[in-house]
């Protein structure tokens, strides 16, 4: 344990079960620790560093903006914020953008807006979510999620209902006029990379339209080119009413966004919702530089191609490895589901110079920076498979 880790252990609130490394530097797909060890970041700060660590264009944009104007109140207009709103509206096909600082905040805003819109239409405000979902750690967002995240934090806000994912009959059973909105990830991240079936999502959206239920797509993890499209919903040919974003949007700088239709935006009054920092010039400049990089460097196309190749490779490997229950993915959002707990694998990977992740206990989640080259990703996959075999053998002996 180095001195920073000792300080952290003593003073940081024990919310995270940390791995024992102190990271000090990042560049591209790599990060370095305080002892000078190098790692490939195959988690990308949990789908944040999509264009890599400290991308020069983003660093430049932040430096420039920081020297001009970092923060102003949302009582005033700033050029980066107006330009980012315009860009996200153009990319999404929706009409309005509101900015916050994180994914949970983007979802809080979405839930409030959906309820406000519903209240104008005589609805009681129920928000439906789906098993395996994750929308954040604020009180309202934990109300959408797992019971495990609610324990000890009761009373959780009312008016939330969770039903099975990828099961249209479950929705048909509960659909009623009081439902204000649904919130769904086209590809569930924390839940284990569970991909919504195309027909399912299309039918779900159609049923919602019929009952004037607001469709909120949480693209916090699966958006920003991660799945090989700018937005994951583009795989589905559906039109959401609200989209939430965060994570990779700022290229490492914190920012969240809630995009909505004009019809929904019309029900919002001045003062209904707000934020001090959300969408400040610094965050918006970082986001504009990130989107610009994604577009200029053809990151969407590269992600789609590399994602398909890697998934095929993983599928071939899975046929020969009995501890792999399933592999799945869309773009560079991939999962290897095991028949045993994955944490020891992640710990071993660190020793081998790779930052990986396990979610839903048995699912190894691969979320590399989207700029990763094929050779480097193949290296990660090979080490990963080798480590799965090692740990499995050790556990059997
Ligand atoms: N929504 C999804 C799909 C997420 O994956 C996450 C975080 O993992 C969140 C919301 C919450 O985002 P944040 O941690 O920025 O509040």
């Amino acid at each position: 344990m180095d001195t920073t880790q000792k300080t952290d252990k003593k003073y940081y609130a024990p919310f995270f079960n940390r791995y024992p490394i102190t990271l000090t530097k990042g560049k591209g797909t790599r990060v370095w620790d305080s002892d000078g060890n190098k790692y490939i970041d195959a988690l990308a700060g949990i789908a944040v560093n999509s264009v890599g660590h400290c991308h020069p264009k983003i660093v430049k944009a932040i430096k420039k903006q920081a020297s001009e104007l970092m923060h102003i109140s949302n009582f005033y207009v700033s050029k980066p914020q107006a330009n980012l709103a315009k860009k996200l509206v153009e990319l999404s096909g929706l009409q309005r953008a509101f900015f916050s600082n994180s994914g949970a905040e983007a979802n809080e805003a979405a839930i409030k807006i959906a309820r406000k819109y519903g209240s104008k239409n005589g609805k009681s405000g129920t928000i439906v979510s789906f098993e395996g979902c994750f929308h954040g750690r604020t009180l309202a967002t934990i109300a959408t999620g797992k019971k495990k995240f609610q324990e000890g934090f009761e009373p959780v806000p009312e008016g939330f209902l969770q039903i099975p994912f990828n099961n249209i009959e479950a929705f048909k059973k509960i659909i009623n006029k009081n439902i204000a909105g649904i919130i769904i990830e086209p590809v569930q991240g924390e839940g284990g990379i569970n991909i919504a079936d195309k027909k399912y999502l299309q039918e779900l959206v159609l049923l919602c339209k019929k009952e004037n239920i607001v469709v909120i797509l949480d693209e916090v993890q699966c958006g920003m080119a991660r799945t090989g499209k700018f937005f994951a919903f583009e795989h589905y040919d559906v039109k959401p009413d609200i989209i939430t974003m965060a994570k990779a949007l700022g290229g490492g700088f914190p920012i969240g966004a809630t995009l909505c239709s004009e019809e929904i935006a019309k029900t919002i009054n001045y003062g209904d919702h707000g934020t001090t920092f959300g969408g400040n010039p610094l965050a918006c400049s970082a986001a504009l530089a990130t989107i610009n990089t994604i577009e200029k460097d053809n990151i969407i196309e590269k992600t789609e191609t590399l994602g398909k190749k890697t998934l095929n490779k993983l599928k071939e490997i899975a046929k020969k490895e009995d501890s792999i229950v399933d592999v799945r993915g869309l773009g560079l959002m991939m999962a290897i589901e095991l028949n045993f707990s994955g944490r020891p694998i992640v710990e071993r990977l660190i020793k081998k110079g790779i930052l990986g992740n396990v979610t839903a206990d048995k699912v190894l989640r691969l979320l590399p920076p989207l700029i990763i080259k094929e050779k480097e990703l193949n290296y990660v996959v090979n080490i990963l498979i080798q480590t799965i075999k090692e740990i499995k053998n050790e556990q059997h002996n």
Side-chain angles (χ1 to χ4, degrees):
M1 208 185 267
D2 68 14
T3 47
T4 310
Q5 285 162 36
K6 282 183 193 148
T7 308
D8 176 83
K9 189 131 190 87
K10 188 160 179 200
Y11 296 106
Y12 183 75
F15 285 116
F16 287 89
N17 186 9
R18 314 259 215 208
Y19 296 105
I21 48 171
T22 306
L23 299 177
T24 54
K25 196 177 97 173
K27 191 168 189 281
T29 57
R30 310 289 173 102
V31 288
W32 283 260
D33 71 15
S34 50
D35 294 325
N37 299 311
K38 187 166 74 175
Y39 305 85
I40 300 172
D41 188 357
L43 179 61
I46 320 186
V48 170
N49 307 100
S50 287
V51 295
H53 289 269
C54 300
H55 192 287
K57 272 193 192 160
I58 297 166
V59 172
K60 192 175 163 200
I62 291 173
K63 276 186 177 166
K64 183 170 181 289
Q65 192 59 52
S67 65
E68 286 170 6
L69 183 69
M70 272 196 242
H71 177 81
I72 53 166
S73 161
N74 272 312
F75 289 143
Y76 314 106
V77 177
S78 83
K79 200 169 170 179
Q81 191 186 82
N83 286 343
L84 182 61
K86 179 173 182 278
K87 186 74 201 173
L88 291 177
V89 158
E90 284 166 2
L91 287 166
S92 65
L94 291 175
Q95 288 81 41
R96 296 280 174 172
F98 169 78
F99 298 107
S100 51
N101 308 288
S102 66
E105 275 182 74
N107 285 331
E108 283 273 348
I111 290 165
K112 282 180 73 178
I113 298 168
R115 281 191 169 166
K116 187 80 199 282
Y117 177 77
S119 75
K120 293 269 157 97
N121 295 301
K123 290 172 184 265
S124 71
T126 305
I127 301 289
V128 175
S129 64
F130 299 84
E131 282 169 16
C133 73
F134 183 79
H135 302 296
R137 300 294 201 131
T138 59
L139 280 170
T141 53
I142 62 168
T144 64
K146 272 198 192 118
K147 279 272 170 293
K148 188 181 114 187
F149 295 137
Q150 299 174 2
E151 276 162 20
F153 300 110
E154 299 90 351
V156 290
E158 289 175 7
F160 293 89
L161 177 68
Q162 199 184 78
I163 61 168
F165 181 68
N166 265 338
N167 180 338
I168 201 67
E169 294 309 316
F171 188 61
K172 284 184 184 164
K173 257 190 219 156
I174 58 105
I175 190 167
N176 69 68
K177 290 203 173 351
N178 275 325
I179 295 172
I182 64 163
I183 180 162
I184 186 163
E185 297 154 84
V187 182
Q188 290 184 337
E190 304 302 303
I193 316 294
N194 306 313
I195 305 165
D197 295 334
K198 188 164 183 178
K199 270 185 85 177
Y200 167 72
L201 196 62
Q202 287 179 338
E203 209 176 336
L204 195 67
V205 172
L206 202 71
L207 288 170
C208 288
K209 301 277 168 197
K210 277 190 194 149
E211 295 291 350
N212 209 11
I213 294 169
V214 174
V215 175
I216 306 168
L217 294 187
D218 180 340
E219 296 242 3
V220 167
Q221 190 164 146
C222 61
M224 287 293 285
R226 175 56 58 188
T227 66
K229 303 264 185 213
F230 189 83
F231 288 106
F233 80 83
E234 294 169 46
H235 291 282
Y236 292 88
D237 205 12
V238 292
K239 201 172 177 326
D241 303 300
I242 299 180
I243 301 167
T244 58
M245 308 177 73
K247 287 197 182 276
L249 178 58
F253 201 92
I255 180 167
T258 306
L259 316 176
C260 70
S261 67
E262 190 67 50
E263 193 192 344
I264 288 173
K266 268 191 219 151
T267 59
I268 306 164
N269 296 320
Y270 296 139
D272 272 353
H273 191 61
T275 166
T276 297
F277 287 120
N280 82 11
L282 200 52
C284 291
S285 292
L288 281 166
T290 307
I291 296 171
N292 188 273
T293 305
I294 288 174
E295 288 180 337
K296 288 261 157 61
D297 295 353
N298 294 323
I299 285 179
I300 296 175
E301 295 76 7
K302 287 180 187 165
T303 300
E304 193 190 11
T305 311
L306 186 54
K308 276 187 183 149
K309 268 192 181 175
T310 311
L311 188 64
N312 285 338
K313 184 180 160 120
L314 286 173
K315 280 186 176 158
E316 284 309 309
I317 294 167
K319 282 183 195 162
K320 291 178 236 135
E321 180 49 54
D322 58 4
S323 60
I324 300 178
V325 175
D326 189 29
V327 294
R328 50 189 178 267
L330 201 56
L332 287 175
M333 193 170 181
M334 291 175 291
I336 303 172
E337 186 170 344
L338 304 171
N339 62 8
F340 62 95
S341 178
R343 184 155 172 120
I345 295 171
V346 177
E347 285 164 359
R348 183 73 53 89
L349 282 174
I350 292 176
K351 293 197 176 111
K352 296 181 180 186
I354 292 172
L355 302 186
N357 175 252
V358 61
T359 189
D361 186 37
K362 292 177 179 161
V363 181
L364 292 174
R365 178 170 50 164
L366 265 175
L367 294 169
L370 305 180
I371 53 156
I372 197 164
K373 295 274 189 296
E374 187 173 349
K375 197 170 158 210
E376 195 172 27
L377 188 54
N378 279 340
Y379 172 79
V380 169
V381 167
N382 290 341
I383 300 288
L384 204 66
I385 301 301
Q386 189 193 84
T387 311
I388 292 171
K389 287 180 184 167
E390 260 171 44
I391 301 283
K392 181 188 76 174
N393 290 338
E394 284 168 19
Q395 288 183 353
H396 279 148
N397 291 334

